Amino acid sequence: MLRMFSRNLCPTLATSILALSTMILPTQPILLAQNLDNEISVESLKSAVGNRYKIGVGVSDNIPTRKHDWQLLTSQFQIVTPENSMKPQSIQPREGEFQFDTCDKFVEFAKENNLDIVGHCLVWAKDDRTPDWWFVEGGMPTSREKLLERLKTHIDAVVGRYANDVSMWDVVNEALDDSNDQYLRDSIWTRTTGEEFIVKAFQWTKEKDPDAILIYNDYNNEYPGKLAKTLRLVKALRMQGAPIDALGIQGHFELDAIKYDALESLLIACRTENIKVVISELDIDVVPRSRWWAEGGKYRDEMSKTDPYKDGCPEDVLKRQAEQYAHLFELFNKFPDVIVRVSFWNLHDGESWLNYFPWNRTNHPLLFDRNGQRKPAFESVINSWKAK
Ligand code: GLA
């Protein structure tokens, strides 16, 4: 209705109606953001970010049928990552049996809504994230040649199909080890080929999609041990002729535990190395989880019974979260020459993976609440782009 009005109204009157409407409907401004004529534009992430970097989000693979999510998605974001349907276990669960259906629909939906697409991910370098068939050949462990041949077949099929639609690929996900002393994660991938599968994955992706931005994606890259390994990997890949364009910093942060200085060091190092960065899966967990893995998992029992914010997130927590998002974006904004995209992981709090991982709890990690309404963190992010 406002849209009908706004088409024929002078800008001042239209602006007053808009102001009035936001007073009457304080929780509704996002609804007004979509499809409005230029003279009335309600603030959205994608308009406020300007041309610093793209603003994206990882969304449910079923977005084409999730009508209730469309408005929030299309009014706020420019680029989408399918949450699961392009991962190896979804798209080729058995050798040669490609399941493109869900992905095709996702891609079609994104194109119809002028959303760019991140292809995620061609290799997830963990044994439990790779279907078993990859690693077995005639009842024996797969040879290096066969593993690489399967990798090429996979990349040719997936990248070949979506090269015209995808603008950035997460080529390899999570190949680095978390411990201090080991470089690559111990997996059948690395035991069989060392670094070679990563090099080849980049080369074969480039052959099929020469124009896309090719990304190596990982978590905790800013942690002391992993930071050095991340840079070592980037240099090693380049030395071996792997066409890597960007480092993906997943950015699954925890409230009160963000290592801003280390992140800044990593961003500076990327600038020096002349490699771009994407913040690929951003969220700030308000029910911190890292103790889950501490001391042999001895806190898990107790933690799995906690759900402190099931009745809502307290104001002081929302405020701290907003401050920490502000701090993060103030940092990102210092690197518009390095960062090409910042993507959140999931559309709103109700859809976050952190409601389930690593135990079921009611989480509030994103900019929009369960009803798709803006949280204080949303204002922080918008304000970070306004500050001089
Ligand atoms: C990793 C993966 C993502 C997603 C998240 C959790 O970060 O890269 O695809 O699975 O874990 O949802």
Side-chain angles (χ1 to χ4, degrees):
M1 175 131 111
L2 186 77
R3 182 189 165 150
M4 267 164 45
F5 274 133
S6 69
R7 279 184 181 278
N8 304 316
L9 287 175
C10 74
T12 329
L13 184 52
T15 309
S16 315
I17 290 184
L18 183 63
L20 189 62
S21 72
T22 53
M23 280 161 57
I24 300 167
L25 302 167
T27 57
Q28 295 298 316
I30 289 164
L31 296 179
L32 303 177
Q34 195 186 23
N35 295 332
L36 287 177
D37 298 339
N38 286 339
E39 70 267 25
I40 299 180
S41 74
V42 178
E43 262 175 348
S44 69
L45 298 172
K46 71 177 184 187
S47 60
V49 69
N51 48 23
R52 291 174 177 85
Y53 36 77
K54 297 225 177 220
I55 286 289
V57 63
V59 290
S60 162
D61 305 280
N62 298 322
I63 189 70
T65 58
R66 296 172 67 90
K67 285 198 177 154
H68 51 284
D69 282 340
W70 292 355
Q71 195 157 39
L72 180 58
L73 173 66
T74 58
S75 63
Q76 296 291 329
F77 299 97
Q78 298 161 311
I79 179 162
V80 279
T81 309
E83 198 173 359
N84 291 309
S85 61
M86 255 188 220
K87 288 174 175 168
Q89 66 266 50
S90 310
I91 209 161
Q92 197 187 178
R94 284 163 296 279
E95 186 160 26
E97 278 183 36
F98 286 92
Q99 316 245 318
F100 290 125
D101 212 40
T102 309
C103 259
D104 284 355
K105 290 186 180 131
F106 185 98
V107 165
E108 221 30 62
F109 171 87
K111 282 162 58 182
E112 276 164 13
N113 287 284
N114 295 320
L115 293 158
D116 278 349
I117 302 164
V118 181
H120 172 81
C121 48
L122 296 168
V123 181
W124 196 342
K126 277 174 140 174
D127 291 350
D128 63 349
R129 301 301 189 162
T130 309
D132 292 343
W133 65 260
W134 283 81
F135 300 136
V136 187
E137 184 186 3
M140 300 288 285
T142 309
S143 64
R144 170 189 157 275
E145 291 71 22
K146 189 69 182 173
L147 189 56
L148 293 175
E149 182 193 312
R150 285 174 173 164
L151 178 59
K152 182 163 189 331
T153 305
H154 185 79
I155 289 177
D156 283 353
V158 178
V159 181
R161 190 174 185 93
Y162 298 115
N164 290 333
D165 310 315
V166 161
S167 60
M168 308 186 187
W169 289 99
D170 286 338
V171 179
V172 176
N173 202 27
E174 303 182 353
L176 292 170
D177 196 62
D178 290 319
S179 70
N180 277 336
D181 39 11
Q182 192 170 312
Y183 171 43
L184 295 177
R185 178 193 300 286
D186 180 44
S187 72
I188 299 178
W189 286 106
T190 52
R191 265 181 271 143
T192 314
T193 81
E195 276 174 349
E196 194 180 4
F197 76 101
I198 313 179
V199 175
K200 294 286 192 224
F202 275 91
Q203 290 172 338
W204 290 328
T205 305
K206 184 79 175 176
E207 273 172 30
K208 284 282 166 189
D209 194 356
D211 301 327
I213 294 178
L214 306 191
I215 302 163
Y216 170 76
N217 194 45
D218 214 326
Y219 59 88
N220 291 354
N221 321 56
E222 70 280 12
Y223 281 44
K226 222 160 169 182
L227 195 153
K229 284 187 259 190
T230 303
L231 296 172
R232 173 175 164 188
L233 180 65
V234 168
K235 287 182 200 166
L237 292 183
R238 285 198 165 148
M239 292 247 308
Q240 294 169 76
I244 176 173
D245 299 302
L247 170 68
I249 298 176
Q250 289 184 1
H252 291 301
F253 299 117
E254 293 181 47
L255 195 70
D256 303 328
I258 304 177
K259 300 179 188 308
Y260 303 103
D261 291 346
L263 266 174
E264 181 152 18
S265 304
L266 180 56
L267 288 164
I268 291 170
C270 289
R271 180 182 275 154
T272 309
E273 287 302 320
N274 199 18
I275 184 159
K276 300 289 183 199
V277 165
V278 300
I279 310 296
S280 54
E281 306 181 13
L282 180 58
D283 43 30
I284 303 183
D285 191 337
V286 295
V287 192
R289 61 185 182 274
S290 52
R291 243 173 22 124
W292 186 264
W293 294 276
E295 298 177 60
K298 75 174 194 194
Y299 301 107
R300 289 186 185 181
D301 244 17
E302 168 203 332
M303 289 174 88
S304 59
K305 290 181 200 116
T306 57
D307 186 9
Y309 305 139
K310 62 175 183 302
D311 300 324
C313 195
E315 266 181 37
D316 66 301
V317 175
L318 290 175
K319 183 163 173 279
R320 262 169 35 236
Q321 182 186 49
E323 287 162 2
Q324 292 171 36
Y325 266 115
H327 204 139
L328 268 181
F329 275 80
E330 282 153 17
L331 175 59
F332 299 158
N333 295 342
K334 291 201 233 167
F335 294 88
D337 55 324
V338 177
I339 297 178
V340 291
R341 165 169 62 91
V342 177
S343 288
F344 294 84
W345 203 247
N346 305 120
L347 197 53
H348 64 68
D349 287 345
E351 294 187 6
S352 169
W353 69 299
L354 293 169
N355 290 299
Y356 315 102
F357 179 87
W359 78 96
N360 287 351
R361 64 209 187 282
T362 313
N363 222 320
H364 308 264
L366 296 163
L367 304 191
F368 302 98
D369 70 14
R370 284 170 162 66
N371 298 315
Q373 304 303 325
R374 305 162 177 211
K375 293 164 59 185
F378 174 91
E379 306 302 333
S380 292
V381 172
I382 295 272
N383 289 338
S384 82
W385 296 321
K386 289 186 186 154
K388 285 274 169 221

